[in-house]
Amino acid sequence: MKIAINTTSAVAGGGVTYIKSLLTYLAKLNTSHQYLILTTIPGRETFYFQHPRFTFLSFKLPSVGLISRLCWEQIFLPSVLKRRQIDVLFSPANVCPLFTNLSKIVMIQNIEPFSNTPVSKRQGLLPCIRLKLLKRLTILSIKKSQMAIFPSTKARTDTEKSGVFIKHAEVVYHGIDKEIFHPYRGDDQLSPCKGKYGLGTFILCVSNMQRYKNFFELIKAFVLLRDRIDNAMQLVFAGTCFDRHYYNEMKVFLTKHGYDNRVIFLGNIPYEELPYLYAACTLFVYPSTCESFGMTLVEAMACGAPILASQLEPMPEICADAAIYFDPTNPIAIADAISKTLKDPESISTLSRKGLERAKAFSWENTARNTLKVLENVIQY
């Protein structure tokens, strides 16, 4: 079978991690399938590897911007797939070509268009237009596909609640690279990373900066903790900034309250350094209001980080009893959860132990195997 995978939407964060890991573990499976990996020009550098059953084909137009990528997917991609005699197309970013009879599978990675959280409703005009367009294209893509894959039950439920009829669907969890993400002990392993970024004791949040990730509420909670926790404690964010206006709002707030030096934005850091941050943090706090999976939660658990997370699904679905949950829209509730946990060393130890156990439920081997099973079965539909 000839399988095409469209990776052109993966530009940063969890989307890139997912694609790289999926391709790596698909290549390890003992099959005769041929894979055509469609990438942008920058994406080729990120995803390319040599393998006799994998061909990488790169395009310039999808790199230009969202609209050009959507046009390329709808107008030019079908002819590319026809020429290559592709049997099935996997589109792992909500949208697939609508005007082709080729067998298609779409994965709903971004459920923000279907979210009704207060944070999602407070966005500006252009983000709202973008979300409405993405929602419409996602709905059409589900209708035109033989199968939809969701990375969590929450993602499927939110989509169905919007009134979308889903003919066939599977939930396939993302995985974890256990060779990279595991507990690290001792100053000799952790000190170089902490020294590089000027870190002491710190609370960590890893995610790309977007409004629905709820960084601001966590910052407000941290300021509320003044004199309730160690005043040397830092709050550290790691991830690419996708909303400069949101970032500037937070910086103004921090300056006003004199917290510029205690809240640190590391930006996008090398992937191989993330495990050391997870292992070194006192707490990992994840206040997001809208996720389809929450990959950094699994990474943090696998490194033994004690987890405090948003009570909104899918966070409880992913972490189960390995986290303490809070209302992500209420800074007082976030502050109380942090304060209470920091004062209870036994709770921190229990969270770390339960997180390590829970992380065992996720693997990229299973993700690749279950995804391939869907790809192989889709011809039946």
Side-chain angles (χ1 to χ4, degrees):
M1 184 166 66
K2 292 184 177 180
I3 300 168
I5 302 177
N6 180 12
T7 75
T8 56
S9 65
V11 295
V16 170
T17 302
Y18 170 78
I19 293 296
K20 289 183 71 172
S21 302
L22 177 67
L23 298 183
T24 297
Y25 284 90
L26 282 174
K28 294 180 180 181
L29 296 177
N30 184 23
T31 72
S32 60
H33 302 313
Q34 296 292 317
Y35 296 91
L36 176 65
I37 312 303
L38 308 159
T39 75
T40 60
I41 301 300
R44 180 180 174 84
E45 297 181 11
T46 302
F47 300 126
Y48 178 78
F49 58 89
Q50 285 190 327
H51 193 282
R53 292 187 286 108
F54 280 71
T55 301
F56 290 78
L57 198 59
S58 303
F59 300 88
K60 183 177 181 179
L61 189 59
S63 311
V64 177
L66 173 62
I67 299 302
S68 62
R69 176 171 63 82
L70 291 174
C71 290
W72 173 82
E73 285 177 335
Q74 301 305 319
I75 299 172
F76 299 105
L77 179 55
S79 61
V80 172
L81 300 174
K82 186 175 182 179
R83 287 198 306 272
R84 295 277 176 160
Q85 298 181 314
I86 296 300
D87 296 305
V88 60
L89 169 67
F90 180 39
S91 298
N94 286 55
V95 180
C96 69
L98 303 176
F99 307 106
T100 173
N101 292 325
L102 178 72
S103 293
K104 300 179 288 292
I105 298 170
V106 63
M107 185 169 77
I108 311 306
Q109 281 272 34
N110 186 350
I111 62 165
E112 192 183 3
F114 303 98
S115 173
N116 291 314
T117 63
V119 175
S120 297
K121 294 176 181 178
R122 291 201 300 263
Q123 306 205 56
L125 178 60
L126 286 179
C128 284
I129 293 174
R130 181 186 67 82
L131 284 178
K132 287 182 178 180
L133 174 61
L134 180 57
K135 182 176 182 178
R136 183 60 182 160
L137 289 173
T138 300
I139 292 172
L140 289 172
S141 295
I142 291 173
K143 290 181 178 179
K144 292 289 186 176
S145 297
Q146 281 69 40
M147 177 72 75
I149 293 178
F150 296 90
S152 66
T153 303
K154 158 70 174 177
R156 177 174 181 171
T157 300
D158 274 9
T159 306
E160 288 177 325
K161 282 181 179 178
S162 70
V164 181
F165 173 70
I166 302 173
K167 292 179 290 187
H168 303 285
E170 292 285 346
V171 173
V172 179
Y173 286 145
H174 293 347
I176 183 74
D177 188 335
K178 295 179 175 64
E179 294 182 5
I180 298 176
F181 297 99
H182 56 80
Y184 292 79
R185 306 297 184 200
D187 289 341
D188 58 328
Q189 290 184 304
L190 302 181
S191 292
C193 185
K194 293 175 68 175
K196 177 180 178 179
Y197 295 111
L199 305 179
T201 56
F202 64 97
I203 295 168
L204 178 66
C205 179
V206 177
S207 186
N208 291 326
M209 189 183 300
Q210 293 170 301
R211 196 169 293 268
Y212 69 87
K213 299 289 187 177
N214 231 27
F215 286 11
F216 209 158
E217 269 56 42
L218 178 53
I219 287 174
K220 291 174 183 176
F222 191 65
V223 172
L224 288 173
L225 290 168
R226 191 192 304 264
D227 298 326
R228 292 173 59 188
I229 63 173
D230 183 354
N231 286 329
M233 182 75 72
Q234 299 165 307
L235 175 60
V236 176
F237 293 97
T240 304
C241 178
F242 283 106
D243 190 332
R244 182 57 56 176
H245 182 67
Y246 187 47
Y247 172 76
N248 290 337
E249 287 178 20
M250 291 185 283
K251 291 296 288 185
V252 169
F253 179 86
L254 290 170
T255 300
K256 177 181 177 181
H257 291 275
Y259 266 64
D260 293 273
N261 295 327
R262 288 189 61 189
V263 177
I264 301 172
F265 296 93
L266 298 180
N268 186 33
I269 71 167
Y271 187 65
E272 61 272 14
E273 292 182 359
L274 278 177
Y276 299 105
L277 287 180
Y278 290 133
C281 71
T282 303
L283 294 175
F284 182 82
V285 183
Y286 200 70
S288 180
T289 62
C290 179
E291 295 293 331
S292 61
F293 182 76
M295 194 176 297
T296 57
L297 284 168
V298 182
E299 293 173 351
M301 287 192 295
C303 293
I307 307 291
L308 273 61
S310 163
Q311 67 187 16
L312 302 178
E313 291 289 3
M315 274 57 84
E317 178 183 348
I318 301 306
C319 294
D321 68 346
I324 291 173
Y325 301 100
F326 54 76
D327 178 355
T329 64
N330 185 345
I332 295 175
I334 301 174
D336 287 344
I338 293 173
S339 177
K340 182 178 179 181
T341 306
L342 289 176
K343 292 176 182 177
D344 187 355
E346 185 175 342
S347 176
I348 291 176
S349 177
T350 298
L351 287 171
S352 179
R353 175 176 52 80
K354 287 185 175 181
L356 289 170
E357 188 62 31
R358 176 59 179 166
K360 294 177 182 178
F362 304 93
S363 75
W364 286 119
E365 294 93 334
N366 287 339
T367 302
R369 189 176 297 108
N370 292 333
T371 301
L372 181 58
K373 187 181 298 183
V374 175
L375 293 170
E376 291 173 333
N377 290 342
V378 74
I379 302 300
Q380 301 175 25
Y381 302 109

